[in-house]
Amino acid sequence: MKRERATTLLNDMLDRLEGGGWPLDLVDEILVFGSYARGALNPSDVDLVVEHRRDDRLVSEFVHALSYGRDPSASMKRALKGNSRGLQIHFGERRTLEAEGFELTLLWTRGEPVDAARARLAAITPTPRQAGLRATT
């Protein structure tokens, strides 16, 4: 996909986050990584790490989905992504990815205005010559 499309998807997600409501009010942090975060002009998708809390309703949906062979994260994914494709969400994997050497860029954290996330998003600039390289620590 084109970088402009990926940026639109992220801004749309931020619009939904700003609108709030369940389960978005459980989200604590969103980080971006992978080719988009490295500045790729044509990322295949946008990789995100989402850290969130759980409430009784989310746990109940999680268990119900697992017992019927469905995606246990469907409610949260749908709330964040809407019907769009192109956002690859990894839930609760921040520590694992950092331990593997992935560089994660904070997009949004609970308690701050979404405008701060939009400013961080705008600061992730295209860098075509490094876009295909995996950053390690």
Side-chain angles (χ1 to χ4, degrees):
M1 95 176 68
K2 298 281 186 198
R3 184 170 189 84
E4 295 78 19
R5 172 74 178 137
T7 302
T8 297
L9 292 175
L10 287 166
N11 275 307
D12 290 348
M13 180 192 67
L14 291 172
D15 289 343
R16 286 188 283 280
L17 188 64
E18 189 171 40
W22 188 89
L24 295 174
D25 54 1
L26 299 173
V27 174
D28 290 322
E29 194 172 56
I30 299 174
L31 303 107
V32 64
F33 69 102
S35 61
Y36 181 87
R38 290 190 305 271
L41 296 178
N42 295 298
S44 58
D45 59 14
V46 179
D47 294 300
L48 300 168
V49 172
V50 174
E51 299 289 332
H52 64 85
R53 291 170 283 125
R54 291 159 184 82
D55 64 4
D56 290 343
R57 181 176 171 188
L58 193 64
V59 170
S60 176
E61 284 195 10
F62 187 91
V63 170
H64 186 265
L66 280 178
S67 35
Y68 287 94
R70 297 188 182 131
D71 181 359
S73 300
S75 294
M76 186 67 78
K77 283 181 185 175
R78 194 170 31 259
L80 289 164
K81 295 168 48 167
N83 293 323
S84 60
R85 293 183 176 189
L87 298 179
Q88 189 70 264
I89 300 176
H90 304 267
F91 292 103
E93 294 184 29
R94 180 181 187 162
R95 288 185 187 160
T96 302
L97 291 168
E98 286 174 332
E100 291 293 322
F102 285 88
E103 187 175 326
L104 306 178
T105 301
L106 178 66
L107 186 60
W108 178 85
T109 191
R110 170 172 297 289
E112 71 179 15
V114 171
D115 285 343
R118 291 188 199 287
R120 284 189 194 104
L121 180 57
I124 303 173
T125 57
T127 53
R129 62 188 173 105
Q130 295 181 10
L133 303 175
R134 177 177 166 218
T136 58
T137 56

